[in-house]
Every structure is written in C-alpha cells, then in structure tokens.
Amino acid sequence: MDTVWILGDQLRRDLGALRGRHPGEVRVLVVESTAKFASKRWHRQRAHFVLASMRRFVLELRAEGFEVDLRVAPTLATGLAEHRAEFSPTQVVAMSPMSFSGRQMLERHEVIVLPNDQFICTAEEFAGWASGRRSMRMEDFYRWQRTRTGVLMVEGEPEGGRWNFDDQNREPPPSDGRSWPEALREPLDAIDARVMLDVERRCPSAFGDAPDGTWATTRAGALARLQQFVEEVLPLFGPHEDAMLRNEWKLAHSALSPYLNIGLLHPREVIDAAIDAYRASRVPIASAEGFIRQVIGWREYVWGLHWMWMPQYRTSNALDAQLALPPAFLGGPTELSCVAHAVAGIEQRGWVHHIERLMVLGNLALTAGVRPDAMVEWMWASFVDGAEWVMLPNVLGMALYADGGRMATKPYASGGAYINRMSDHCGDCRFDPKKRTGTDACPFTTLYWDFLARNEDALRGNNRMGNQLGSMRKLKDLDAVRERAVEIRDRLARGTL
Ligand SMILES: Cc1cc2nc3c(=O)[nH]c(=O)nc-3n(C[C@H](O)[C@H](O)[C@H](O)COP(=O)(O)OP(=O)(O)OC[C@H]3O[C@@H](n4cnc5c(N)ncnc54)[C@H](O)[C@@H]3O)c2cc1C
C-alpha cells in the first residue's frame, strides 16, 4: 500500500497527495519531529497551534476511516525511516513542502513529490510571469493574477473601474471611539492540555503566554473565523489598515494568516467569500479589493519570490547590518512605548499586525542596523503565522532592505512622526517624536536620520530616495544626531533603552 505523508503545514483533506484518495487505499503518515520543536525559542502559542492542529487533523482522518501512523521521532527523516521499516510501503507520496529544506529532504529520501496546490499561483507559474522582466513589482503581479483568474474582473476590466483603492487605506486611527468586533475564542479541551504538556517538554526555551483559544486548531474553527471576518470585519477593511491602537490588537485585519499558512484555509475559498459578500452588497468594493490584494497579491508574490531567490536569499545582508537583536524584542524592559506594546502583543498572542511588524519592529531594526538573520530567526519563532517562505521576503526584503532593493523599491525607514500620526503610542511615551537630539529625542527620529547618513553610499543610486537624502544633507545638526545615534544603538544592544 502507498503511504501519503502529510507535513505539519499541509493540513488539508482535499489537497496535494490526499486529494481523491479514500480510506483503505492509502496509509497516512504524520511525523512529530522533536528536533523541530527544540530548534528555536518558539512562542508557546505557535508550538501549540501547529501541534494541536496536526493532532486534530489526524483525528479527523481517522474518523473518516483512514489508517494514520502518527509518529513522534527525533527528526522527520528518522520518522520516515521508522515508518518504512514498520510498514514497507510500495511508495511514499507527499505534497511538495512549503520550505526549501523540506523539499531537499524529501528528494534525498526518495519521496514522490506532487505539486503544492496550497496557493493559486504555483512557484513555476510565478517564475514564468517573472521571466524576462526587468522589474517585478507586486502591483504588476497582482494585475496579472486578477486578469488570469478573472477575480474582480468584468469583461477584461477591473471591477469598479480601478485596480487599486489603496489611496483610501492610509488613514490614521479613527478618533470616534468606535469598538471593533471581538475576536472569536474557543474553550480549550483535553487535547490542548496534552499538547501543552508536550510543548513544555519538547521546547524547553518556549516563551509567551499559554494558549487561550484565540487561535483555532481545526478547519471548522478556521472557517468560523473566516465567516466572522467577512460578515463583521471586512466591511471595515481598508481605511485604517495602517493604524495602531493600544487597546485594539486586530482592528480590521483578518488574522487569517495562521490558517492560510498551515492549510486549514485555502486562499481561493477566502477570496471567494470576500467576492460573494461584495456581490451581495454587504461589502464596499474598496474593502473587498483591498483584502483580495493582500491574499492573491502580496501573499502569492512573497511565495513566488521566495522560491525564485532561495537558497542564496537567506543570507542577504546588503547594508551590512551587524547589531545584535535588541533585548527589548525578547521582552526586556524598554521605555519606547510603541516597541513595548508590540512586544507585549507578541507575548500575549504570538501575533501583531502588519504595520507593527513593519513600521515599529522592522523600522527600528532597519534604522538601528540589526542583523537580518537574527530578525528572521526571532520573528519566525515568535509569530503564530511564521514560516520561512513568508518570513524571508517580508523581513529581509520588505522590512530590512537586506536584499538591496530586489523586493522593496526603497527602505521602509521612517522617524517617530510616522508612528505619532498612525498610533496612540506617543502621547504617554517619554520620548518626543519631533526631536532628533537630546535625551528625550525619539530614537526612531534620531535613527532615521542616522540611517540615511550611514547608508548614503548604498542608497545614492536609488532615485526614490533623492528627497530623503537631500533633506538629511541639509540638517545643520547632523553631527549631533549621529553622535546621539551611536549612544542609542549601543543602549538598544545592551537593553537599556
Ligand atoms: C517583518 C514582517 C514579518 C512578517 N511575518 C509574517 C509571517 O511570519 N507570516 C505571515 O503569514 N505573514 C507575515 N508578514 C506579512 C503580514 O504582516 C501578515 O501576513 C499579516 O499581518 C497577517 O495578518 P492578517 O491575516 O490580519 O492580514 P490581513 O491584513 O487581513 O491580510 C490578509 C492576508 O493577506 C496575506 N498577506 C498580507 N500581506 C502579506 C505579506 N506581506 N506577506 C504574506 N502574506 C501577506 C496574509 O495571508 C493575510 O492573512 C510579515 C510582514 C512583515 C513586514
């Protein structure tokens, strides 16, 4: 009998090697690798999310009648070897893994690899789109995706007469004191309790709060969150996507990335739900389009770039950033209100939204010059939705400009003024976002100018940076700013900022 090997981020009955297979035809293998759990300082909720989702998926397959060999082994490869020794399968078949090293491992162990259909655009189709292009802008890819899939298209034209309503999505936080829909939460059960015992044993360095039911670990739970998002949150999606509020962790973000990333949801069903809501006039075009752009645009673009540029991409460090990971990111004390809030959010639920990742944590790491590999490692282990394929382009390319501009056309560097405009963090922070020198100057503001000065040579050839570099050169107090920046970077690295 053939064995179908299901990896921990492929938890979907109707995809890959399980598609069209029935109980009795194949045996299923699922391996829990203890090395994987011990390999990083994982967030508890992240480790729990993956392990509990795997175990519940196995229960669902068994309930359907499949024979499942759920095996705890030191590594995936030893689990496979033990399975082969016990069952002598005619062949082992798997869907192509989401990770580069996973793909190599399967090839080394003579597993039959089927195409990965967890995305709408395969890595091969993406490479075809990219081939021969001088520039690979996300917007061009997104329009190509819309055209070829017919998503939000009418007779070859974009629905609503525009491709993109992004210009409506940059509003600061609403000042009307509105409340946002509550996140769903499920009670934990005996499976969760058992998983948590195993997490504590297998991940000795695990950190963060224990799970509280915020993250669903079944397809039914993921579908409930999709439904709630479309009905209650999607109509609000868009205008305040870049806003950050102390008392609201999700705003109108979907928080669906964890489910998409391990197979509990498929991007097609997620966008179909958004399109249906738009067609039924429950959601405005700007919200539907903005959300769909994230899913079939950004997400699939990042997936395609990752496969095109690996494995060299992993070691990118174009700006030669060498600062160690700030202890503040690991929960150490910090007086920076926005950073403390983002890190507390990670501790509480292993998730903060895009702008906190990009414009607070990423921006600080970029302007201070934190080592890209340290940021990747930390974020990968800290987020419930973390995975190498999504982490590398987002952290190295988008947040840190470590790929020298292959992905982002310019560095996402900004001073404290941006954070002040888009959040309610600066009001009670001891630093002043308008100041760039002095002990109460906002470190984001000081580091922003210093970043431009420090990397002037590397950025000079980028014509989108002309205005920023020009403003930096005109600063009369640049020497004092740079002196203060040395102190800030030192204190950041020592954990005393
Ligand atoms: C420094 C940094 C680290 C990140 N790390 C991760 C990560 O570990 N895992 C992860 O899935 N995303 C990551 N992202 C991308 C993005 O921030 C998250 O996908 C998003 O915040 C998830 O929240 P959401 O589901 O509410 O997204 P929404 O705003 O509701 O967007 C809908 C969906 O679009 C997809 N999406 C949107 N933007 C991106 C993007 N840039 N890359 C990939 N998918 C995208 C996600 O699947 C998301 O669920 C990172 C971004 C940055 C800048």
Side-chain angles (χ1 to χ4, degrees), residues 46 229 237 241 250 252-258 260-261 270 290-300 302-303 351-359 361-362 375 379-380 383-391 393-396 398-400 407:
R46 151 73 189 210
F229 168 69
F237 192 93
E241 286 317 287
K250 219 160 63 76
H253 293 273
S254 68
L256 294 175
S257 46
L260 285 162
N261 291 358
V270 167
F291 177 67
I292 287 167
R293 177 155 23 93
Q294 306 305 312
V295 179
I296 69 166
W298 277 109
R299 184 167 187 272
E300 306 245 334
V302 157
W303 165 252
W351 192 95
V352 291
H353 75 67
H354 186 70
I355 296 302
E356 291 169 304
R357 299 181 198 205
L358 183 64
M359 298 311 291
L361 303 168
M375 277 296 281
M379 286 192 151
W380 183 355
F383 291 129
V384 174
D385 57 15
E388 189 180 41
W389 67 266
V390 71
M391 213 29 97
N394 273 304
V395 179
L396 299 181
M398 196 185 293
L400 301 185
M407 181 178 171

Side-chain angles (χ1 to χ4, degrees), residues 398-446:
M398 196 185 293
L400 301 185
Y401 204 71
D403 62 2
R406 284 172 95 181
M407 181 178 171
T409 47
K410 67 179 210 158
Y412 279 92
S414 80
Y418 174 88
I419 294 171
N420 194 22
R421 191 168 63 251
M422 300 311 293
S423 79
D424 59 359
H425 292 307
C426 301
D428 70 350
C429 184
R430 91 160 186 79
F431 298 110
D432 181 345
K434 288 196 271 317
K435 286 185 151 180
R436 51 181 179 259
T437 57
T439 51
D440 61 343
C442 173
F444 279 89
T445 308
T446 311

Side-chain angles (χ1 to χ4, degrees), residues 237-264:
F237 192 93
H240 303 291
E241 286 317 287
D242 289 6
M244 296 173 272
L245 288 175
R246 264 178 298 179
N247 292 328
E248 173 50 50
W249 63 278
K250 219 160 63 76
L251 293 111
H253 293 273
S254 68
L256 294 175
S257 46
Y259 314 117
L260 285 162
N261 291 358
I262 68 166
L264 294 178

